[in-house]
Amino acid sequence: MEEVDGNTVLAQALKAQGIEFVFGIIGFPVIELSMALQMADIHYIGMRNEQAACYAAQAMGYLTGNPAGVLCVSGPGVLHTFGGMANAQINCWPVVVIGGAVAQDHEGIGGFQECNQVELARPYSKYSARPPSISLIPLHVEKAVRLAKNGRPGAAYLDFPANILSGKVDANKVLPQYGPTEVPVIFPDPQKIADAAKLLSTAKRPLVIVGKGAAYARAENEVNQLINLTNLPFLATPMGKGVAPDNSNKCVQSARSLALQKADVILLLGARLNWILHFGRPNRFSPDVKVIQIDISAEELHNSVKSEVAIQSDLKPALAQLINQFKLNHFVFSGREQWWNDLKKKCEDNKKAIEAMANDTQVPLNYYAVFKNIYELLPENCIIVSEGANTMDIGRTMLLNNLPRHRLDAGTFGTMGVGPGFAIAAALYCRHNEPTKRVICVEGDSAFGFSGMEIETMVRYKLPIIIIIVNNSGIYTGMEPDVFKDVQESGEITKVTPPGCLTSCTRYDNMMSLFGRTGFFAQTVPELQSAVKEALNTSDGPTIINVIINPTADRKPQAFNWLTESKL
């Protein structure tokens, strides 16, 4: 009988379940597995850190709707993926982590990198298991992939001891492969759709909130049809941006605080009333607001506040039925309503305040001036990856998205270090699907430090990612070089150096010289403009633009402090 080893069975099972990309770091006992993956016609991308590999894989899952894999060694390698797995779980993005493990005959006696990986992975995944034999590998792979993408998407973990990977069995003893199976579609209760339509039709101050669940559901056509048909104002959560265009005249993102605080009926599309939306509670929302919630997960309904109408459904069929209901009722929210006048005035006032800051080009630059001049030069519909504190928050308002799944950021978990991994996934996605599209990775200097060495991965795989580091020399705020030097010389360095300060004006652009390339250093608007133009002409690998800004630059005054509700 022909024999087959565990590595081959696993690689072929992953391919049979539709896994096209695996990101990881090799070492004992998964070296041969990485080669088997390539032999199975799977794209393998070697990364520099398992956490970044997990970030890349889950971003690929979000962009494609199909899980990608993460390959890691036993013990520390698996543990390093947990930050990424937790991020995928909370973001609701599909990913399958494949961990090597100590040989079973070494368990319990201090084997190399011995670790209770299956149990440790369980809190961060929807499914965590170890196939007990080579013949059962296809069964567990099918289940892991199915659970990662069905229902509320998330992470799955599979554990493979060294003896399972290297062992051999007769080929006819391997269970027949089935799958991948289609994700079932959940349809709404028609009565609840009618209730939702009636409530929205009678609202004085309606608002639609579009979440990243709408982006993942590929519901952009239905969302836009609803908004254009009804003339309802909308705003988006950070990664819900672009499902309906940011430049739409129905987008009231610039009046976000007013819209949330005064709306009397809110239609929530694939978004959750968590900290990003201030839990749906006063003072950020009206105490009398009525929420219509459409979500694929029944467990999410009524979370934090009780919804007036709670609909468990996939967004596409729910919105299609809601649109038909509005057509039957000939409902259009009039643009002459006072609510529209209030929202438009607030949008205009806020845009004027931002415009004044964006036009201030004195050195050192501020965030708004930097983002304005970046955005004006970018090709249309780039995929924008962003992380940091003010870098991400202000960039979200200045770097617009008019297509879905074109913004990737720290997400629901607020995870720093995701940027380079996300950008790698986005660039690979573009290479295989939209080769003319560019990926722009906008990083705070602190955020870049978490995964900055992935720049080598980008070089190795010739990914034309433009990394723009908005460098304020600190976490939140930094110091001017002379001031920083004086402070450090004022006493014991570990006691006087402010915890949020980083080395002033670090030359991150010089990292490109490690690879025989040249980065860009910008302190003025003309230098920044020149750098962006030149970087856009680079197509054979990454570029770093290091732009120095005022260490104390801040965002415009806010009506509410961050996390206002949670501090009441």
Side-chain angles (χ1 to χ4, degrees), residues 433-451:
N433 296 279
E434 299 181 73
T436 61
K437 191 178 290 292
R438 297 305 299 262
V439 176
I440 314 298
C441 183
V442 184
E443 299 273 304
D445 50 330
S446 171
F448 179 71
F450 284 86
S451 304

Side-chain angles (χ1 to χ4, degrees), residues 527-541:
E527 289 171 347
L528 175 61
Q529 292 173 331
S530 176
V532 173
K533 290 175 183 177
E534 194 166 345
L536 287 168
N537 290 324
T538 303
S539 59
D540 63 343

Side-chain angles (χ1 to χ4, degrees), residues 91-137:
N91 259 0
C92 306
W93 289 358
V95 68
V96 177
V97 178
I98 303 146
V102 63
Q104 288 167 305
D105 60 338
H106 289 179
E107 289 182 334
I109 56 174
F112 175 67
Q113 294 184 332
E114 182 180 353
C115 184
N116 190 15
Q117 294 162 188
V118 175
E119 289 303 315
L120 290 173
R122 193 156 282 135
Y124 310 105
S125 58
K126 295 179 68 179
Y127 181 64
S128 181
R130 170 188 284 186
S133 66
I134 295 173
S135 62
L136 291 174
I137 287 175

Side-chain angles (χ1 to χ4, degrees), residues 22-37:
V22 173
F23 302 81
I25 298 177
I26 66 166
F28 179 81
V30 297
I31 298 170
E32 291 78 11
L33 176 55
S34 66
M35 301 174 190
L37 292 170

